[in-house]
Amino acid sequence: MADWKTRAIGQPDFLQFNNLACETAGGKVIFATDEWFAPAQNLLKREPVEFRASAFTEFGKWMDGWETRRKRIPGHDWCIIQLGVPGVIHGFDVDTSFFTGNYAPSISIQASCLETVPRPEGDRTGTAATEREFEAVAKLRSEMWEELVPVKELKPGYPETCHNYFTVTFPHRVTHIRFNMYPDGGIARLRVYGVGQRDWSTVSSMKQVDLLSLANGGVCLGYSNAHFGHPRNMIGLGRAANMGDGWETARRLDRPRVLKVQETGMLQVPGSEWAVFRLGHPGAISLIEIDTNHFKGNFPDSCKIEACSLTSEAEEHCLREGWGSGQAVKWRTLLPPQKLKPHQRQFFSGDALELTEAVSHIRLTIAPDGGVSRLRLWGRPKPAFSNPTSKL
Ligand SMILES: NC(=O)NC(NC(N)=O)C(=O)[O-]
């Protein structure tokens, strides 16, 4: 993953994937043994962890995370998390930020694909009663849970020790996580990094879907710069909440001291930044949405989109050698250069698009730098020249 040069040295590669449990992706805590000091749903918040030195509630010190009581009864605390986007998990970040004298000393993590669990008799799927019965059954049947992380000690929530990373090799679709803490205490965030996996057998090849969406299995595989916001944010659900929920690069340091209009009449804005994605399913793209929502003084001057069809071997080569070299991939223009506007959605279809064949990967290039909040690529799922399956 050579192009991911902006990541801090020593961090695991899996941090580049999508957080499948984040509440902005639809992640939910459906059960917790105890939430005395702070609710388990805080584990799934997108926002950075906060500490408010003088905030107290009627239950104790206000904490931004999941915090249970000091146990005076047998057992340990645990919760069940329903992933917002079911998929294949590559690693976890158990973040203990600000839990110092009260962090959970150990955890373990189990996973299951509960879609395959038979629903209760009567097929009343979706009613509250049925869902409760189903959850109760699912919680109790321990054979349904695979151990992804065995019991491991955590480090306390000081800035240099708060991230407890666990790499996982489990090439199966997961819908739910059972998160155990031993015996009790507090944890600020649980980030579940992976790639969404949609069941494409249920999607008609006549249906237009956003093939790039996080929910449909899209994933960012490389970028040139992610200083203020990671490009994966562009494939999130709904419209961006704020600038932090989009892709934003740093200002290019090589920008001219004074911008000038050239003899051609064009403004001189040299330089560009790029991000590469694999679609959740290959397909022919018929409608593109580029949303610069919230980027008003920092939207890119222009953008273009190229596409290609890659085998999984070619993808692996690019991940190893870098996407920037341009050697291994023959990018073809999907959307030729377009001027962008601030803080709005722009749509491109029909003659604006130059490629009708099915593609598996795309590269968005912005010039010279700036922010884009969402990128949507609508098309029909079709087999491409090759159909890479996730080996990541
Ligand atoms: N000062 C604390 O954080 N105390 C307790 N926790 C909260 N949140 O009040 C505790 O010791 O478990």
Side-chain angles (χ1 to χ4, degrees), residues 306-362:
E306 297 151 296
C308 67
S309 200
L310 285 187
T311 60
S312 39
E313 291 73 30
E315 181 188 89
E316 270 169 43
H317 175 85
C318 293
L319 288 168
R320 238 183 3 258
E321 303 300 324
W323 296 91
S325 68
Q327 301 293 312
V329 189
K330 291 201 173 25
W331 292 108
R332 295 170 64 197
T333 301
L334 171 61
L335 179 70
Q338 304 288 332
K339 281 279 187 190
L340 289 176
K341 296 181 187 138
H343 189 48
Q344 63 191 272
R345 303 164 85 179
Q346 286 176 255
F347 294 91
F348 305 94
S349 60
D351 289 346
L353 307 186
E354 292 193 355
L355 208 57
T356 50
E357 291 105 89
V359 295
S360 60
H361 292 67
I362 65 106

Side-chain angles (χ1 to χ4, degrees), residues 24-61:
T24 59
K28 278 189 208 122
V29 172
I30 60 172
F31 176 81
T33 51
D34 183 9
E35 302 183 289
W36 181 267
F37 289 114
Q41 185 69 23
N42 285 341
L43 290 169
L44 312 184
K45 278 161 68 172
R46 181 180 195 281
E47 295 80 41
V49 189
E50 270 186 82
F51 186 70
R52 300 183 194 160
S54 46
F56 291 86
T57 72
E58 61 178 299
F59 300 99
K61 172 81 191 70

Side-chain angles (χ1 to χ4, degrees), residues 152-314:
K152 293 273 182 196
E153 283 185 12
L154 295 182
K155 292 184 278 340
Y158 301 108
E160 61 285 2
T161 56
C162 60
H163 293 287
N164 297 267
Y165 296 127
F166 302 102
T167 302
V168 162
T169 311
F170 185 69
H172 305 287
R173 179 181 156 93
V174 170
T175 60
H176 290 72
I177 295 289
R178 185 173 148 146
F179 185 39
N180 304 290
M181 61 158 96
Y182 303 100
D184 57 30
I187 293 166
R189 296 285 186 272
L190 174 67
R191 302 188 185 90
V192 180
Y193 290 98
V195 180
Q197 211 179 67
R198 185 159 181 189
D199 177 3
W200 289 99
S201 66
T202 62
V203 181
S204 154
S205 61
M206 299 309 290
K207 195 174 148 65
Q208 296 273 1
V209 283
D210 175 6
L211 296 168
L212 190 62
S213 166
L214 152 77
N216 290 327
V219 61
C220 177
L221 297 179
Y223 53 79
S224 59
N225 188 296
H227 190 85
F228 292 113
H230 196 290
R232 66 176 162 224
N233 294 341
M234 289 188 292
I235 64 172
L237 309 192
R239 293 194 78 199
N242 50 40
M243 261 173 31
D245 189 15
W247 175 33
E248 188 186 352
T249 72
R251 295 181 188 220
R252 287 189 67 89
L253 295 174
D254 61 357
R255 62 197 188 279
R257 292 207 176 90
V258 180
L259 293 191
K260 291 193 185 116
V261 176
Q262 293 170 311
E263 279 167 16
T264 57
M266 297 288 283
L267 187 67
Q268 189 201 358
V269 278
S272 62
E273 303 290 358
W274 56 268
V276 171
F277 291 84
R278 188 211 296 144
L279 306 182
H281 192 289
I285 308 302
S286 49
L287 174 66
I288 296 178
E289 176 186 340
I290 299 168
D291 189 354
T292 55
N293 199 16
H294 307 297
F295 293 100
K296 299 171 187 170
N298 48 359
F299 64 101
D301 175 69
S302 62
C303 78
K304 66 175 180 181
I305 299 177
E306 297 151 296
C308 67
S309 200
L310 285 187
T311 60
S312 39
E313 291 73 30

